[in-house]
Amino acid sequence: MASVSLSEAEKVYIVHGVQEDLRVDGRGCEDYRCVEVETDVVSNTSGSARVKLGHTDILVGVKAEMGTPKLEKPNEGYLEFFVDCSANATPEFEGRGGDDLGTEIANTLYRIFNNKSSIDLKSLCISPREHCWVLYVDVLLLECGGNLFDAISIAVKAALFNTRIPRVRVLEDEEGSKDIELSDDPYDCIRLSVENVPCIVTLCKIGYRHVVDATLQEEACSLASLLVSVTSKGVVTCMRKVGKGSLDPESIFEMMETGKRVGKVLHTSLQSVLHKEESLGPKRQKVGFLG
């Protein structure tokens, strides 16, 4: 993962500030940096989104393709995650340097989507045991400026909100053979309900307190972090501890409560931005990569 080297004096300055609920950039311990979200940024995808969180820049594209349902879930579609760490994001990702981090992020995404409530996978089934929609979710890390997991989960939720899957009909002839008919109308499509898609809130333990949306400098002062996957209703769907330090049970409980509280606010803000952007329709001014 991208990291920075800090002197002992810089670390002491950051740690002491956090204890007083005052971070280097003026935020409180439970404040996020400004999040920029833009959807429909890649033309040849079913849905896409770009998220900028401080100096962290993430691009997510979703491609819907027809596949065969898994044997254990014959009446459901499924999601596949691929994470690419661009060498431009940090020199540490050159060669195969970003592979381990990419695998770790993909596995975390599989974990938070591995439940019945996140996405209605049955709506992705076309005909049981034979045909279903497979959503390939490609995540590209363009720049790393701390708090990767939160930014990626926001971008994935925004891209799934933007995803449009063509409506199909299964036609059966007299002999029993099935034929799939794809709708020609670009507006005749299925939209996914993302209401229960969780977002990750990462809480970094610094000194005796914990902060959300840590910068690279703050991450360098933290020995342990807790990733909490939270739904819009404040329900925790999954938790993961990262870092080589330890967390005591009381800290974990406090961090979970903070994660729930902050997560609900994050979901509300994201939903309002996504609906506002969609309401503008074709009049929306696209920023893209040159903004």
Side-chain angles (χ1 to χ4, degrees):
M1 198 178 283
S3 57
V4 290
S5 298
L6 296 180
S7 67
E8 281 306 309
E10 287 173 303
K11 286 184 180 179
V12 168
Y13 180 68
I14 290 170
V15 172
H16 283 196
V18 167
Q19 307 316 304
E20 302 294 330
D21 195 24
L22 183 63
R23 293 156 78 173
V24 175
D25 51 12
R27 289 181 290 153
C29 287
E30 294 184 14
D31 297 337
Y32 268 84
R33 290 167 287 182
C34 178
V35 185
E36 292 177 33
V37 181
E38 188 182 9
T39 59
D40 199 20
V41 284
V42 184
S43 57
N44 60 341
T45 59
S46 307
S48 59
R50 188 187 186 192
V51 166
K52 287 194 82 173
L53 177 59
H55 289 295
T56 299
D57 198 351
I58 310 291
L59 177 68
V60 173
V62 180
K63 201 83 186 253
E65 290 187 10
M66 224 171 271
T68 310
K70 293 180 177 177
L71 283 172
E72 65 273 21
K73 293 173 181 174
N75 58 344
E76 292 181 7
Y78 55 96
L79 284 79
E80 293 279 6
F81 293 98
F82 299 96
V83 181
D84 182 21
C85 303
S86 165
N88 296 334
T90 170
E92 293 159 39
F93 290 164
E94 280 184 35
R96 300 184 67 84
D99 287 4
D100 290 347
L101 178 62
T103 306
E104 185 189 345
I105 293 168
N107 288 341
T108 304
L109 289 169
Y110 278 120
R111 273 186 70 185
I112 71 170
F113 280 91
N114 188 24
N115 57 63
K116 286 186 165 63
S117 58
S118 292
I119 287 274
D120 179 16
L121 295 175
K122 288 184 177 172
S123 67
L124 298 176
C125 183
I126 298 166
S127 61
R129 294 185 176 82
E130 291 176 355
H131 303 287
C132 70
W133 287 110
V134 182
L135 300 183
Y136 292 97
V137 182
D138 292 304
V139 179
L140 177 62
L141 274 63
L142 299 169
E143 197 177 348
C144 295
N147 203 19
L148 271 183
F149 286 92
D150 297 29
I152 288 169
S153 70
I154 292 168
V156 167
K157 180 164 180 167
L160 288 171
F161 174 84
N162 180 240
T163 299
R164 287 161 173 78
I165 302 166
R167 197 177 291 281
V168 294
R169 287 192 304 153
V170 179
L171 305 173
E172 199 169 340
D173 62 16
E174 291 147 12
E175 293 166 13
S177 63
K178 291 178 181 175
D179 202 19
I180 291 175
E181 189 181 80
L182 204 65
S183 175
D184 295 333
D185 183 358
Y187 294 101
D188 185 20
C189 55
I190 303 166
R191 296 289 300 276
L192 296 168
S193 169
V194 296
E195 190 186 345
N196 293 321
V197 171
C199 279
I200 295 173
V201 177
T202 305
L203 301 117
C204 288
K205 180 91 171 173
I206 298 177
Y208 299 110
R209 299 190 68 159
H210 49 266
V211 299
V212 301
D213 187 23
T215 60
L216 279 178
Q217 289 77 12
E218 287 170 336
E219 285 178 358
C221 300
S222 171
L223 289 175
S225 301
L226 194 68
L227 269 62
V228 184
S229 159
V230 189
T231 68
S232 56
K233 294 183 177 73
V235 177
V236 175
T237 60
C238 145
M239 246 182 14
R240 187 169 155 245
K241 185 230 152 215
V242 291
K244 54 183 180 282
S246 58
L247 294 170
D248 58 280
E250 197 178 329
S251 291
I252 293 173
F253 180 74
E254 284 176 13
M255 290 161 100
M256 279 178 64
E257 290 304 309
T258 304
K260 287 187 211 173
R261 194 166 54 247
V262 171
K264 282 169 85 171
V265 177
L266 178 64
H267 276 289
T268 307
S269 305
L270 179 60
Q271 284 292 110
S272 108
V273 166
L274 292 173
H275 287 298
K276 187 178 173 185
E277 189 184 57
E278 191 174 52
S279 68
L280 295 172
K283 294 182 292 185
R284 173 164 79 89
Q285 194 175 353
K286 291 195 181 181
V287 179
F289 293 92
L290 302 175

